[in-house]
Structures are given as structure tokens and as C-alpha cells.
Amino acid sequence: MEAPPPISLDALFRPRSVAVIGASRRRGTIGGELFHNLVARDFAGAIYAVNRKADVVQTERAYASVCDIPDPVDLAVLVVPHDEVLGVVDQCARKGVKALVVIGAGFAETGSAGEALQRDLAERVRAAGMRMVGPNCLGLLSTEPGRELNATFAPAWPPAGNVAVSSQSGALGLAVLDYARALGIGISQFVSVGNRADVSSNDLLEHWEADPRTRVILLYLESFGNPRRFLEIASRVSRSKPIVAVKSGRSTAGSRAAGSHTGALATPDVTVDAILREAGVIRTDTIEELFDVAALLANQSIPAGNRVAIVTNAGGPGIMAADACEAHGLTLPAPGADTVAALARALPPEAALRNPIDMIASASPAQFEEAVRRVLADGAFDAVLVLYVPPLVTKPTEVAAAIRRAVQGAEKPVAVCLLGHDDVSEARELLRAARVPVYPFPENAVMALGRAAEHGRWLRRPQGRSLDLWADEAARAREAAAPLLAPAATATGPRWLDARSVRAVLAAYGIEMPACRVVTTEDEAVAAAEELGWPVALKITSRTIAHKTDVGGVALGLKSPWDLRAAHRVMLERLTRDGHVGEVSGFLVEKMIEAPRGAGVETLVGLTRVPELGDLVAFGLGGVQAELMRDVVFRVGPVTDVEAREMMAALRGGALLTGFRGSAGVDRDALERALLRVSRLGADFPAIVSLDINPLLALPPGQGVLALDARIQVEG
């Protein structure tokens, strides 16, 4: 029998009635605290306790089974041992319950037996048309006035607000709620998704996209359920509601052993970063940063640019803030002439009127108000950072009140840093009440402004286009490459294409390589070199050796038959000595490209296939140091022309491409086309597991690019 379509998440967040199955009479237990939390809030519906051994739970009548409750139940919270969950779910299905929260552990997180139990649980939930949060979770809550729902066992209840939170960690969820309350960050809804057997972060993103009470979405992620689906949903939601995420697991310990530069560089965290960047999700490194960014976005507008004005009464913190701005891609332009003239009239002669604007320690509340008003009105700035260190001559609350007056109705984002603790606590609350984010140190505020400005750039950037091949060109390219990339009849796993096939595939997609010949003997090598013209390069061909230079399999700049014969013999001797000769199928004699001294830059272009996501396209500085320098950026394919240009600009060594110390730079248009063509090749042939062009020599402007070496691995 076909399962009914799943109902919306409204039954989870806006139920008319809730039953706690496993409600306990004893406070301090999960079942006791969860039932107490529900009853203690201003929930508009009915709350039922289900306990087989008690008639009364915390002064409320208890029922032996959910089926014994005389009225309909929308939401059931299960606080029962894992071996009892399936039976209770069956009871909920008979009762017509619409949604479940399964608190208990003992499921997929415990191993194969738990995985089987979780699959059975999910199948029963879907068959009944219910929605489920968990298992192995903290629960959920909603702060909607008049319908407050606290179906968690957390001790902290956050203030109501416009920030929605999803956490894959229950323990961290406890800390998140406590931190939100301490910082005064208002929460609209909170969900601890646990093992995500049904409701996932993707479901919550779509729910919060339509929720009028939610303005900002915070995610704590440990893994993606369906990364491609997350990318599609988050890319859409980010355009209307900022998504801020902290993702655990940044170490490279889990990176796979790879036979290509691209595969080795594409660590799991690189993949995550590419997904989040592509989706417009603001990634932070810590929970503290997560809330710092949330405090700004929940209360202020997105900056229209990266130009910041710093207003301070202390030079030292102003300098610290200026340094932090540079590190986070923010600039500090000088104020306009009118602003400088107005500040000169309002501030003492000792004040510094450039940027940072240092009003000196004696600055009064009125001077703070005037300075902040002036820079907010100045078109030179997109955001304002106010730094205040309490001196003896002014009261923090008076300065806070002045800043409140100055920013009232401001369209530009304002962040305030109050250095100190107890002596500024009242001033901090005055500003927070006016929806002005307050930070303890300049670096926190600058980081938040930097992340917000970066998100603003993402919102403003054009969508871009993928490679637009003419229909006949696309058909010819696919037709030429298809036979070479087809699975081999005898293959038992991924295989590397031979040198001839690699060249033919790249040629079909318009990527040129130097003229070459494949040979097997020394005499054939010399004959090939005579035909191609000196100088030449000699390289081994192998389906198993990923990096030829590591085994001495490359010799460059061979200018005569004597050079070539000597290089061939040395190469064979080393391969034999090191036990690699059996892995070599032949040799490649390649025409050397003699670029003018100092001209051209070796780059790397590649892609690697990621399960359930697709291609990660790589671009960076190449050559033998590609993995050592790791100056490589990744984007989820297929990339657009806009993304290709962003990738080139994002390199630490990007100045080499545009021109450095008198060099002319390289043909960036040709580089962009090469990136787009490799991306299109990967999109056309999902059988490609990995592709490396390293080095791709980028020649001076107008001279194009040339692939000097390449490898392609395909599914068997």
C-alpha cells in the first residue's frame, strides 16, 4: 500500500495538543524535565502525560497509553527506551498522531543493529504519514507568543526573536540555548535534529523560508544528508534569509588517498566549504562566531559594500579594529570633506578625523552622537563600528543612550564594541533593547561585519553562465569523447585512461596539448623527436603511477638524440631499481614549449567526483608544488563564467595571473574558457571520477593556454 504524503512541519511547531510518552513524576530525569518544560510555558493547547505506572504526573492526570487519551493528539514526544520505540510508534499511528519527537538514543549512532532499528522506525513513520524529529535528539521549541512550545529537556528558555536554530548535536544544543539567553539573542524556533531519520536540515530550511517570524537561520552541522539537495535549497533560501553555519570536522584526517592532485587536495572540509560558499551560506569557525554574526544579521541590514567607518574614544582599540578590518576584507576610506568639517567643529583639536575617527578619551555623549550621525550620513561608508572604552569622565549608559539616538532609523548596519564587563552591562542592555548588536572586543564586531559584507557581495553578484556550446559543437564533443570514456568490459574498478585517450578527450573539448608521440623503445623515441623537432620532453606513461616526477619519470629540455638516449636510460635504470618498471606501459615524447623567460604561469585545473553531490572543480597554481603550496580553490560544478573569474581572483598568488613586478600576466580569458570546458566535460560525463590538468601553462595575454600533462580516471 502506498504511503500517504507527509504532512507539513506545522504539527511539530504549532500542535493543538501534545502527549509526552514516558513523562516522569521525578524532576531531574529527562521525562520529568521535558514534561515540566511543556507545562511551564504558555502553550495554548492540551498537554497529556503518558506513564504506564502512574495515574498522576506532576499534578496532571496520566494515561497508560497514548491510545487511552480521549482527545486527538497532534504531537507525541517519546521518552522511552529504544527497544520500546517501535511499539509506541505503532500506537501513535493508530491514534492518528501527526508528528513525533523521539528523544532516546540507541539507533544508527550505535552500529549496524541500531541502523536497522532506525530504518524500521523511519519506515513506520512514513507509512503512517507522520513527521519525526530524531531519534537521539534534545527536542524542539517555539517561542511564538501565546503558543510557546518547549518540547526539550533543556534548562534554558531563550528570549523570543527572529533567529531559527538547527543543531545536529543535542549536547551542543543545550549550550546554544544557554548562550542565546546570555547574549539576549531572540529565538523563533529551535530543533535538535539528532539522527535525522525523517526531518532534516533541508526540511527545516524550507519550513523557515516560509516562516514570517524567522529572519536568520543558524545551523550546526556535522554532516550533510543529501548535499546536492542542501545546495539547491540553501541557494534559494539564502537570497531572502541569511543562513549562518558552523560545520565540525575541519581536519584533513578523513581525506581520501587519491591518485590525482585534485583528489588529494579535495579534502572533506574543502567539499563542505565549496557547498556552503556556492549556496551563499555564511560559514563561521566557532559557536561564538556563529552568534556574533547572528547578532548583527538579526538586528541590522546587510552592508551595501565593504567600507567601514570606525568611531572611537581610544586609539589602541581603533588600531586593533583597523587591523582586523584588513584581515576580513573591509576597507577604511577617509570621510568626505563635509563630514571632516563637521567633525572638526564638534570635536576637540586633538581628535583624529580620518579613519579611525579618534575622538580622544574625553569624548562626551553628545560628541559620540554627532560623530555617529555624521558618518552614517556619509556616502563614503557602508557600515559603522563604534568603539567605547569607559573613562572616568563619561557614564557608559549616557554614551549608550547617545548612540541609540544617533542610529535610530539608520539604513546602514551599526555594530558597537563596549570594552569592559560589569561597568558596561547596563549600557549593553540599553543598546540591545534598541536592536543594536554589542560585542566585547573589536575583533568580534569586525568579523561579523566582514561576514555580512561577504554575504552582501554574494547577493549582488550576477548569476553567471556555464559554458554555452553551440548545439553542433556540443554534440561533436560528446560524440568524440564518449567511446573513450565508456566502461571497459574487463574493468573491475576505476581505471586511468592511456595518454592517447586523454589527449583525444581533451581535444574534443577544445583543450590543446603539445604535439607528441607514444613510443616503447629508445630508437622510436629518437625518431619521434626528430619528427616533432627539438627540444622535447620524455615522460613515462602509466595507468597506476599518479605523479611521474615522484619516480623520476619526466625529463625536460632534451635538445639532441644523445640527450634523449641518456635520459631514457637513466629513467629505465631508476624505474627498475625502485620496482616501478612493471607499471610503465611506454613513453611519451612531447614537443617542448619554449615560452620567453619569465612568461607564462603553471596552473592546475581539475575535477573530482563527490558522491551525491557531483563534481568539485579545482583551479590553482600548479606544477610539482601543487599539493605543497595548496594554493587551490574549489567550486561545485558546473561552474559559471562568474565563478571561474572568482576562482582566479581567490588565489593567494593571483597577482601572478594579472601581472606581478613588471610581468604582463597571462591570458585570463583563455584560462576562464579552459575552466568552463573542463567543468562541462565533467557535467557531460558523470563516469569521470577524477581529472587533472597539471600543469596547464597559461601564456601571456592573447596567447592562450596549453595543457602540458593530464590524467583522467573513469569508472570501470
Side-chain angles (χ1 to χ4, degrees):
M1 187 174 94
E2 187 176 344
I7 55 181
S8 75
L9 302 190
D10 283 349
L12 286 163
F13 294 107
R14 305 186 87 238
R16 292 165 297 181
S17 56
V18 182
V20 179
I21 303 174
S24 174
R25 293 175 295 180
R26 292 185 295 113
R27 295 288 305 277
T29 64
I30 292 178
E33 290 303 311
L34 200 148
F35 188 75
H36 169 77
N37 285 348
L38 270 170
V39 173
R41 302 316 312 172
D42 186 19
F43 180 62
I47 301 172
Y48 303 101
V50 176
N51 186 314
R52 292 178 301 182
K53 301 177 181 179
D55 296 327
V56 176
V57 170
Q58 299 182 35
T59 75
E60 299 291 332
R61 178 184 174 184
Y63 299 86
S65 164
V66 67
C67 295
D68 295 335
I69 298 172
D71 301 311
V73 174
D74 285 346
L75 172 65
V77 184
L78 279 59
V79 192
V80 298
H82 67 275
D83 56 355
E84 297 180 18
V85 166
L86 296 182
V88 172
V89 168
D90 290 341
Q91 294 172 12
C92 290
R94 290 196 297 271
K95 178 64 180 175
V97 173
K98 297 177 180 178
L100 305 174
V101 175
V102 181
I103 300 294
F107 293 88
E109 78 281 1
T110 63
S112 57
E115 289 175 357
L117 180 62
Q118 184 167 305
R119 283 194 299 271
D120 197 352
L121 169 63
E123 288 169 3
R124 296 186 191 207
V125 168
R126 292 191 194 101
M130 295 186 284
R131 301 309 308 264
M132 176 179 65
V133 168
N136 186 29
C137 72
L138 171 65
L140 59 85
L141 63 80
S142 172
T143 63
E144 183 178 353
R147 301 185 63 90
E148 291 179 349
L149 173 71
N150 189 359
T152 76
F153 54 90
W157 175 257
N162 57 15
V163 178
V165 183
S166 168
S167 173
Q168 281 183 236
S169 165
L172 193 62
L174 290 168
V176 163
L177 291 174
D178 191 51
Y179 202 51
R181 184 177 64 174
L183 295 178
I185 294 177
I187 302 297
S188 58
Q189 294 174 349
F190 165 87
V191 185
S192 165
V193 292
N195 292 3
R196 301 171 298 165
D198 177 37
V199 172
S200 66
S201 299
N202 293 345
D203 296 312
L204 292 169
L205 286 176
E206 292 191 303
H207 170 77
W208 287 327
E209 180 183 22
D211 178 24
R213 295 186 61 242
T214 295
R215 176 175 173 173
V216 179
I217 299 168
L218 306 186
L219 304 176
Y220 170 75
L221 299 170
E222 293 177 349
S223 63
F224 292 109
N226 184 330
R228 175 57 68 173
R229 181 69 176 142
F230 175 88
L231 178 58
E232 293 170 356
I233 295 171
S235 297
R236 184 185 72 243
V237 176
S238 289
R239 297 204 166 272
S240 58
K241 298 184 179 184
I243 303 171
V244 191
V246 60
K247 168 69 173 67
S248 62
R250 276 191 176 273
S251 73
T252 59
S255 65
R256 55 178 166 261
S260 67
H261 292 289
T262 305
L265 292 165
T267 63
D269 190 65
V270 163
T271 303
V272 169
D273 206 54
I275 293 170
L276 297 180
R277 184 182 297 274
E278 178 74 11
V281 175
I282 303 167
R283 185 176 189 181
T284 64
D285 296 325
T286 64
I287 296 296
E288 181 183 24
E289 288 185 356
L290 184 81
F291 278 98
D292 283 341
V293 176
L296 183 75
L297 296 177
N299 297 293
Q300 301 286 304
S301 59
I302 301 290
N306 67 338
R307 304 169 303 167
V308 176
I310 299 175
V311 177
T312 180
N313 69 337
I319 295 171
M320 292 171 62
D323 291 343
C325 282
E326 182 177 352
H328 287 282
L330 302 173
T331 63
L332 300 176
D338 291 344
T339 303
V340 171
L343 291 175
R345 291 191 297 269
L347 299 177
E350 300 84 359
L353 304 182
R354 304 312 293 170
N355 194 9
I357 298 166
D358 183 0
M359 301 181 294
I360 71 173
S362 61
S364 67
Q367 289 170 331
F368 263 97
E369 182 173 355
E370 176 69 8
V372 173
R373 283 189 193 278
R374 290 291 180 179
V375 295
L376 279 170
D378 192 333
F381 305 117
D382 302 306
V384 177
L385 172 60
V386 185
L387 307 176
Y388 172 68
V389 179
L392 295 176
V393 293
T394 58
K395 294 182 179 179
T397 52
E398 293 177 354
V399 172
I403 296 171
R404 279 184 57 162
R405 291 191 297 271
V407 304
Q408 188 173 6
E411 296 181 357
K412 298 175 183 177
V414 178
V416 177
C417 172
L418 301 180
L419 280 86
H421 187 62
D422 294 337
D423 53 346
V424 298
S425 57
E426 188 177 348
R428 185 184 301 117
E429 295 310 313
L430 270 174
L431 289 166
R432 285 177 177 168
R435 300 180 64 83
V436 178
V438 184
Y439 299 91
F441 300 107
E443 294 85 355
N444 300 69
V446 171
M447 182 280 304
L449 285 170
R451 295 288 205 278
E454 185 178 355
H455 184 62
R457 285 193 295 273
W458 181 85
L459 290 171
R460 292 188 301 273
R461 76 172 188 171
Q463 292 295 296
R465 297 186 305 172
S466 299
L467 181 64
D468 187 16
L469 293 172
W470 293 105
D472 58 343
E473 184 185 357
R476 285 198 304 271
R478 287 193 295 268
E479 184 179 355
L484 304 169
L485 298 171
T490 59
T492 58
R495 60 188 176 88
W496 293 97
L497 299 186
D498 60 56
R500 285 193 181 93
S501 297
V502 169
R503 287 170 170 268
V505 169
L506 294 182
Y509 278 77
I511 298 172
E512 184 182 355
M513 298 189 75
C516 75
R517 300 290 184 271
V518 178
V519 301
T520 56
T521 68
E522 183 179 309
D523 289 339
E524 288 177 358
V526 172
E530 295 285 0
E531 180 186 352
L532 293 170
W534 305 93
V536 297
L538 180 69
K539 304 175 183 179
I540 61 172
T541 62
S542 172
R543 295 180 185 272
T544 57
I545 299 173
H547 307 311
K548 302 177 183 68
T549 54
D550 290 352
V551 297
V554 176
L556 304 176
L558 307 175
K559 298 180 179 180
S560 68
W562 188 92
D563 289 343
L564 179 54
R565 291 182 185 278
H568 182 269
R569 291 167 187 169
V570 169
M571 201 174 287
L572 272 180
E573 288 172 3
R574 179 172 177 177
L575 290 166
T576 302
R577 181 195 68 200
D578 296 341
H580 294 299
V581 71
E583 300 177 74
V584 175
S585 58
F587 296 86
L588 196 71
V589 179
E590 188 174 76
K591 174 68 178 174
M592 285 287 296
I593 304 302
E594 295 184 287
R597 182 175 178 83
V601 175
E602 290 188 345
T603 68
L604 177 152
V605 173
L607 60 83
T608 186
R609 180 74 56 175
V610 177
E612 297 183 313
L613 176 66
D615 292 328
L616 273 187
V617 179
F619 175 73
L621 296 184
V624 296
Q625 297 181 4
E627 290 176 43
L628 174 65
M629 304 305 294
R630 290 184 172 266
D631 193 4
V632 180
V633 293
F634 288 83
R635 294 291 184 270
V636 178
V639 299
T640 67
D641 52 354
V642 170
E643 290 169 328
R645 289 191 288 272
E646 288 178 347
M647 293 171 79
M648 288 188 276
L651 295 182
R652 296 190 302 276
L656 294 172
L657 307 180
T658 57
F660 182 68
R661 291 194 173 180
S663 71
V666 302
D667 193 335
R668 285 175 290 161
D669 290 339
L671 266 182
E672 177 186 321
R673 289 192 296 272
L675 262 169
L676 294 177
R677 288 179 180 276
V678 167
S679 177
R680 177 63 182 263
L681 172 59
D684 285 349
F685 292 97
I688 295 177
V689 175
S690 182
L691 181 154
D692 257 355
I693 304 176
N694 182 37
L696 176 70
L697 181 63
L699 295 167
Q703 298 183 32
V705 297
L706 201 59
L708 301 185
D709 201 1
R711 287 171 61 81
I712 298 176
Q713 187 182 40
V714 296
E715 293 177 352

